Amino acid sequence: VFQLSVPLNFLGSVYRELKQSLLDMENLFQLQEHEIKIKDVPGAKPLVLNQHTIPGEIRFENVTFGYHPDRPILKNASFVIPAGQKVAIVGPSGSGKSTVLRLVFRFYDAQLGRILIDGQDISQVTIESLRRAIGIVPQETPLFNDTIKENIRYGRLDASDEEIDEMIKRVQLDKLVKDLPDGVNTIVGERGMMISGGEKQRLAMARLMLKHAPITFFDEATSALDTHTEQSLLKTIREVSHSEINTNVSIAHRLRTIADADKIIVLNQGRVQEEGTHKELVEKDLIYANLWNIQEMFELEKEEGLENEKLQ
Ligand code: ATP
């Protein structure tokens, strides 16, 4: 028995690692063709999360980074995402919002400056411990050709079926599951049943919650969901954010979704241009206020359009 269990366990852990790295790869914001060169530094230690107070503070110190060194995307960027707070990163398209997330997750390392989590330079900790501390709801949820249950289990591979059922309830996928002949064992994904964008995001949320990560990133999709889906998704996000004390970072395109954030960081051309609450930034009447006014104009027009449709 002993002889057998060793190689099987070994295979098991290799399989799990493989699955996990696949997930990391997939999770992943359209990691186009470039290869990933980031490795643990010799003697890297696991990230130690703050035990005494709330864990999950992220600190950018004079970070400069470009996908091509001669074209910096972040330029000497410094900001703090306080532990346990709801923080939004906003800015015009191409300003580097998603790049912040890729750097924190270490798909790339900064060329200059440091990124610290709970006071530790993330380039010096093990990648495995770093990524374990961070949950992501990506713009596009990767679904594997597998059952609903297994798709959720990717959040934490050793989660029990009961935990998964619990998460399905919390993101309100239980109604959908009940109506399916195979329930949680229904295959979804390209070769299985197609589920809607909103359901996909709920599944991503269940995956995220299963991970119990102290830091979560929501990479808000650019493509607009319909109003009903958006409202219910927002509700889910709020519930998730409130149900656990953790650091929530939203990479936001639609400012209405983050107006209640504790802190909004405004990036512009790779620099931190403004920081503050929605109210403070609107009063400042600079970049954020400008973005807000433009978006509100569109939103109001859209609402008026809908009203007119109803009247006709
Ligand atoms: P959006 O709001 O449009 O999603 P963003 O603020 O999230 O934009 P990033 O995705 O961080 O912007 O991209 C910042 C800049 O870096 C863009 O000009 C983009 O073209 C460039 N960029 C992003 N990924 C890569 C890459 N893998 N290789 C080269 N350039 C890239």
Side-chain angles (χ1 to χ4, degrees):
V1 173
F2 179 66
Q3 270 177 335
L4 247 181
S5 75
V6 173
L8 279 185
N9 281 341
F10 170 71
L11 264 183
S13 81
V14 167
Y15 177 61
R16 270 196 300 277
E17 265 174 40
L18 227 147
K19 238 175 153 181
Q20 189 60 52
S21 56
L22 222 165
L23 183 72
D24 287 341
M25 296 281 291
E26 286 268 346
N27 233 346
L28 344 151
F29 346 69
Q30 308 100 32
L31 265 185
Q32 296 118 5
E33 61 287 350
H34 45 250
E35 62 187 287
I36 303 181
K37 300 192 195 90
I38 305 297
K39 291 209 173 76
D40 283 349
V41 294
K45 297 214 166 50
L47 175 70
V48 181
L49 291 159
N50 212 333
Q51 303 282 319
H52 306 296
T53 53
I54 301 170
E57 181 200 75
I58 307 171
R59 188 178 284 268
F60 271 55
E61 283 182 356
N62 307 101
V63 172
T64 294
F65 168 78
Y67 296 93
H68 304 289
D70 50 342
R71 187 177 165 241
I73 302 296
L74 290 180
K75 298 167 193 157
N76 205 19
S78 296
F79 56 86
V80 180
I81 295 172
Q85 289 201 1
K86 184 171 188 280
V87 174
I89 301 177
V90 306
S93 178
S95 55
K97 302 181 293 292
S98 304
T99 301
V100 166
L101 167 51
R102 295 185 193 119
L103 289 176
V104 174
F105 212 62
R106 277 196 78 201
F107 280 136
Y108 302 90
D109 277 337
Q111 274 116 18
L112 292 172
R114 303 193 300 170
I115 302 168
L116 309 168
I117 292 183
D118 286 351
Q120 295 144 80
D121 184 338
I122 62 167
S123 69
Q124 303 301 307
V125 305
T126 60
I127 294 170
E128 191 272 329
S129 67
L130 174 72
R131 294 188 182 163
R132 191 153 20 98
I134 304 169
I136 295 174
V137 179
Q139 289 201 9
E140 268 301 314
T141 305
L143 279 187
F144 303 97
N145 284 303
D146 207 334
T147 62
I148 294 179
K149 186 163 82 179
E150 291 310 312
N151 263 289
I152 294 174
R153 206 193 302 276
Y154 277 110
R156 205 182 76 244
L157 298 172
D158 61 4
S160 68
D161 286 0
E162 288 73 27
E163 280 177 282
I164 293 172
D165 286 341
E166 171 63 26
M167 292 308 159
I168 288 177
K169 280 202 202 96
R170 277 175 65 185
V171 299
Q172 294 161 22
L173 274 177
D174 45 340
K175 250 185 80 193
L176 170 82
V177 164
K178 264 196 209 113
D179 290 342
L180 298 171
D182 292 327
V184 292
N185 296 316
T186 306
I187 308 266
V188 288
E190 268 162 42
R191 272 175 279 145
M193 192 188 73
M194 287 305 182
I195 60 175
S196 77
E199 287 160 354
K200 252 187 174 182
Q201 278 195 291
R202 280 168 192 280
L203 197 146
M205 212 77 75
R207 224 183 236 171
L208 172 87
M209 290 196 293
L210 205 60
K211 193 167 176 180
H212 295 303
I215 296 171
T216 58
F217 273 89
F218 295 99
D219 199 2
E220 189 192 74
T222 339
S223 56
L225 296 167
D226 65 82
T227 324
H228 178 72
T229 311
E230 183 177 296
Q231 287 307 322
S232 64
L233 183 67
L234 272 178
K235 206 171 138 246
T236 315
I237 292 182
R238 291 220 178 87
E239 282 164 8
V240 175
S241 337
H242 289 301
S243 60
E244 287 169 29
I245 302 176
N246 58 24
T247 309
N248 280 285
V249 191
S250 300
I251 310 282
H253 295 98
R254 324 262 312 276
L255 301 184
R256 274 191 182 188
T257 58
I258 51 93
D260 63 340
D262 297 309
K263 182 176 187 175
I264 299 169
I265 296 168
V266 185
L267 289 184
N268 192 28
Q269 300 190 342
R271 296 180 201 280
V272 178
Q273 204 88 31
E274 301 177 303
E275 286 183 60
T277 61
H278 172 76
K279 192 164 168 281
E280 287 162 357
L281 294 173
V282 167
E283 278 166 9
K284 250 192 180 169
D285 204 15
L286 294 169
I287 294 180
Y288 179 84
N290 200 5
L291 282 172
W292 174 258
N293 290 335
I294 294 171
Q295 288 202 359
E296 278 304 285
M297 217 167 66
F298 276 113
E299 297 282 356
L300 292 175
E301 267 175 24
K302 214 166 67 188
E303 280 166 15
E304 271 171 27
L306 287 178
E307 283 301 313
N308 289 341
E309 257 172 47
K310 267 190 220 151
L311 289 175
Q312 277 164 13

